[in-house]
């Protein structure tokens, strides 16, 4: 089929082809290709309209491929072509008024196109002026002397490094991998990782914080956990430990609960995530959580849920299928752009890097002269096993008493009570007498039925606390292709899953619009 048949015989458009743009897909440029190696890309052109444009295509990893004259198409190779006037928006987004021909295997997102059709096994997209094509796997081509603008090559997955395998990093890895990105996940195995110690209570609506921006983020992220659980199940990971069991908010009196209920109703969206709201007397609350005292009124919030940080994160990592590497990461920055990282003495090149290092984030950023608002806040959390249970703990609701403490139960007849909030602790991970006493006092104050429970273990986590504001989620100023997610504090297991989605979207969005 000739080129004229693709563009309705428009000679003007055909004549513009050489001057404007050809997008050529590389035929499986594998990681084994080194800097000096060259591969032949596939430049699709019908036989009578073949174009010879010699030059070189460099990707962001420093590898190079030659563009050969008279290159023959390879079966099944990814390729794309733009025919028509092009307005360039950086190295990986192009506004098009013309025709885009895309091979079946090319990961491209169309924006603003008004029609498309399948022609000869290829997808043809006609875009209005102002429409755009955005690659899902961008590669910058430079030094192609006969092209007016830099061009893109497709056919190789974008690679992103995620530093930190806690809840935010694991979720970022999962969402990137779900979009077809190759992910390298690096974790230093630091003692005191908050995700591994935390007990995840997903009930953002009654928070007493008055910062509207934080509350909006907190509620959005809390309501975003359920859809991520569903997505994991679709990817073969149904065992996340997430369970919607409801939450009991205890109050000293009905007036206090009136204020809490008003906050919950004000923050509840239209999607019904908050669930049913019901006032309970002390006896009714105790029937739901047997160790509770029975002299306090309560508000039951049907949408409350809980998860185990270890199990949930493990499910995210398995679903991501990421290349998991252990060790301390050092960023590689050159020319104002993050090019990758080194771990264990090995350099790993990438198109973007996400630092989700929890309380240790600034240890990664400081060598390149950057820092964010985060410091470690120690939390000590007790795990108990009550004796002589009348019924299993699997469906016991989360309990939120007045103050900073909480109680929740898991499926294995385990009750978790937490937690201290030791601001200024530094990276101290010791279990202390004072910390144990504080949490045990809270346990028997709100749930005297736990007085005879066995102490199974105490976990210590170093929360990444933002001292002066909301969490940091997004790009790092002054360094292209570098992103950070941290500062989620005591809400990490609520915010982290959806924050990972936000970070993945930021990476892919920046790839489209640098």
């Amino acid at each position: 089929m000739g080129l004229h048949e693709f563009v309705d015989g428009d000679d003007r458009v055909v004549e513009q082809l050489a001057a404007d743009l050809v997008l050529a897909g590389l035929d499986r440029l594998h990681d084994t290709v080194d800097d000096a190696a060259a591969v032949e890309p596939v430049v699709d052109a019908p036989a009578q309209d073949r174009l010879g444009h010699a030059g070189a295509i460099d990707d962001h990893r420093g590898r190079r491929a030659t563009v050969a004259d008279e290159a023959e198409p390879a079966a099944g190779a990814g390729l794309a072509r733009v025919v028509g006037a092009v307005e360039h928006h950086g190295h990986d987004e192009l506004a098009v008024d013309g025709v885009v021909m895309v091979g079946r295997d090319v990961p491209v997102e169309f924006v603003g196109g008004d029609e498309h059709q399948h022609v000869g096994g290829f997808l043809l997209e006609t875009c209005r002026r102002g429409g755009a094509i955005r690659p899902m796997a961008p590669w910058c081509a430079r030094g192609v002397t006969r092209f007016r603008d830099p061009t893109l090559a497709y056919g190789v997955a974008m690679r992103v490094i995620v530093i930190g395998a806690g809840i935010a990093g694991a979720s970022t890895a999962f969402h990137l991998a779900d979009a077809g990105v190759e992910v390298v996940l690096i974790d230093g195995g630091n003692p005191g990782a908050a995700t591994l110690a935390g007990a995840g209570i997903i009930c953002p609506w009654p928070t007493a914080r008055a910062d509207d921006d934080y509350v909006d983020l907190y509620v959005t992220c809390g309501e975003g956990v359920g859809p991520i659980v569903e997505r994991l199940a679709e990817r073969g990971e149904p065992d996340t430990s997430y369970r919607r069991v409801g939450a009991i908010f205890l109050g000293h009196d009905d007036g206090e609960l009136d204020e809490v209920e008003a906050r919950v109703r004000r923050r509840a969206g239209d999607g019904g995530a908050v669930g049913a709201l019901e006032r309970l007397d002390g006896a009714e609350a105790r029937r739901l959580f047997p160790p509770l005292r029975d002299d306090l009124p309560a508000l039951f919030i049907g949408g409350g849920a809980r998860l185990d940080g270890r199990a949930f994160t493990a499910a995210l990592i398995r679903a991501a299928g990421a290349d998991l590497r252990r060790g301390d990461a050092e960023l590689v920055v050159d020319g104002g752009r993050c090019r990758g990282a080194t771990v264990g003495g090995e350099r790993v090149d990438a198109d973007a890097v996400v630092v989700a290092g929890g309380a240790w984030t600034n240890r990664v950023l400081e060598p390149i002269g950057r820092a964010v608002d985060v410091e470690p806040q120690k939390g000590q959390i007790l795990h108990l096993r009550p004796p002589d249970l009348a019924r299993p703990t699997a469906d016991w609701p989360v309990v939120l008493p007045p103050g900073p403490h909480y109680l929740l139960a898991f499926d294995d007849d385990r009750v978790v009570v937490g937690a201290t909030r030791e601001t200024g602790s530094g990276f101290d991970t010791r279990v202390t007498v004072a910390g144990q006493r504080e949490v045990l006092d809270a346990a028997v104050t709100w749930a005297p039925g736990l007085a005879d429970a066995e102490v199974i273990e105490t976990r210590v986590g170093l929360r990444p606390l933002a001292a002066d504001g909301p969490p940091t989620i997004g790009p790092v100023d002054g360094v292209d292709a570098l992103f950070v997610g941290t500062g989620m504090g005591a809400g990490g297991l609520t915010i982290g899953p959806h924050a990972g989605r936000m970070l993945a979207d930021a990476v892919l969005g920046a790839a489209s619009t640098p």
Side-chain angles (χ1 to χ4, degrees):
M1 181 178 289
L3 183 59
H4 280 248
E5 295 177 66
F6 282 106
V7 294
D8 298 324
D10 188 334
D11 289 329
R12 177 185 57 80
V13 174
V14 172
E15 290 170 359
Q16 282 186 308
L17 177 60
D20 284 332
L21 186 65
V22 172
L23 300 182
L26 300 183
D27 187 13
R28 305 305 178 196
L29 180 59
H30 293 290
D31 290 341
T32 53
V33 178
D34 61 28
D35 291 352
V39 297
E40 300 297 327
V42 177
V43 179
D44 178 80
Q48 66 266 46
D49 297 308
R50 181 167 293 130
L51 301 173
H53 288 280
I57 296 176
D58 291 344
D59 66 26
H60 289 317
R61 304 179 200 172
R63 298 176 303 194
R64 172 166 292 198
T66 60
V67 180
D69 294 334
E70 301 294 315
E72 292 289 345
L79 55 94
R81 162 174 294 152
V82 175
V83 181
V86 174
E87 179 182 354
H88 188 56
H89 290 285
H91 74 270
D92 51 11
E93 180 175 335
L94 301 153
V96 179
D97 183 14
V99 176
V100 182
M101 186 178 74
V102 180
R104 286 177 294 246
D105 298 330
V106 181
V108 174
E109 175 186 9
F110 290 98
V111 180
D114 61 278
E115 60 178 299
H116 65 271
Q117 57 183 317
H118 289 279
V119 178
F122 294 94
L123 177 67
L124 233 63
E125 178 87 5
T126 303
C127 296
R128 298 171 180 168
R129 168 65 68 182
I133 58 169
R134 291 208 292 252
M136 303 305 291
W139 300 87
C140 180
R142 298 182 294 275
V144 185
T145 57
R146 294 184 61 185
F147 293 166
R148 186 169 64 193
D149 292 301
T151 66
L152 298 169
Y154 300 82
V156 184
M158 181 182 184
R159 177 191 284 169
V160 176
I161 294 172
V162 178
I163 299 173
I167 189 76
S171 181
T172 304
F174 167 68
H175 285 97
L176 287 169
D178 205 38
V181 175
E182 175 191 348
V183 179
V184 178
L185 184 60
I186 302 174
D187 190 76
N190 295 307
T195 293
L196 303 183
I201 297 172
I202 315 299
C203 189
W205 308 280
T207 179
R209 285 191 60 159
D211 180 346
D212 289 342
D213 290 340
Y214 176 85
V215 171
D216 288 346
L217 174 69
Y218 195 41
V219 171
T220 297
C221 290
E223 294 182 352
V225 176
I228 294 172
V229 172
E230 295 173 2
R231 189 66 171 167
L232 283 167
E234 293 171 0
R235 292 291 180 265
E237 292 292 341
D239 299 325
T240 61
S241 79
Y242 175 88
R243 186 185 293 268
R244 185 168 165 166
V245 292
I248 294 173
F249 195 102
L250 298 178
H252 290 108
D253 53 48
D254 286 335
E256 183 178 351
L257 290 182
D258 288 343
E259 294 178 6
V260 173
E261 184 172 351
R263 287 201 301 267
V264 172
R265 291 189 182 279
R266 185 171 65 252
R267 293 163 178 170
D270 298 330
V274 73
L277 300 180
E278 181 182 357
R279 291 293 185 97
L280 307 175
D281 61 28
E284 291 170 327
R286 187 174 181 177
R287 278 196 292 273
L288 295 175
F289 197 100
L292 275 184
R293 57 192 287 181
D294 62 1
D295 60 340
L296 294 177
L299 173 67
F300 180 77
I301 304 171
R306 48 85 169 161
L307 61 83
D308 179 277
R310 296 182 181 186
F312 198 87
T313 299
L316 287 166
I317 293 173
R318 288 193 301 268
D323 177 4
L324 180 58
R325 307 193 185 193
R326 301 292 183 181
D328 294 330
E330 297 181 12
L331 299 175
V332 177
V333 176
D334 180 50
R337 183 183 185 89
C338 192
R339 307 284 177 175
T342 61
V343 57
E346 178 186 357
R347 173 168 168 164
V348 182
D349 293 317
D351 304 291
V353 177
V354 178
V355 180
W360 293 267
T361 294
N362 281 336
R363 291 189 177 181
V364 180
L365 296 176
E366 285 170 354
I368 65 165
R370 296 293 185 276
V372 295
D373 177 18
V374 65
E375 63 175 287
Q377 183 198 62
K378 182 178 176 180
Q380 299 185 53
I381 305 168
L382 268 69
H383 290 239
L384 311 175
R385 179 162 290 121
D388 304 324
L389 290 170
R391 61 185 176 85
T393 59
D395 61 348
W396 289 14
V398 171
V399 177
L400 302 170
H405 301 103
Y406 55 80
L407 302 95
L408 69 158
F410 286 99
D411 296 359
D412 56 354
D413 295 337
R414 178 167 44 107
V415 174
V416 179
V417 186
T420 64
R421 298 195 182 196
E422 302 172 49
T423 303
S425 63
F427 292 93
D428 175 18
T429 59
R430 295 173 304 131
V431 175
T432 65
V433 171
Q436 295 273 82
R437 178 176 178 176
E438 176 188 331
V439 178
L440 287 170
D441 283 349
V444 297
T445 296
W446 304 114
L450 294 174
D452 196 35
E454 175 190 359
V455 177
I456 303 172
E457 65 172 317
T458 300
R459 296 182 184 179
V460 177
L462 300 175
R463 305 181 187 96
L465 178 69
D468 299 318
T472 301
I473 304 171
V476 175
D477 290 342
V479 184
D480 291 341
L482 180 61
F483 303 81
V484 66
T486 190
M488 299 161 202
L493 292 180
T494 296
I495 298 173
H498 191 73
R501 178 177 176 177
M502 294 167 64
L503 284 163
D505 287 347
V507 171
L508 295 172
S512 298
T513 311

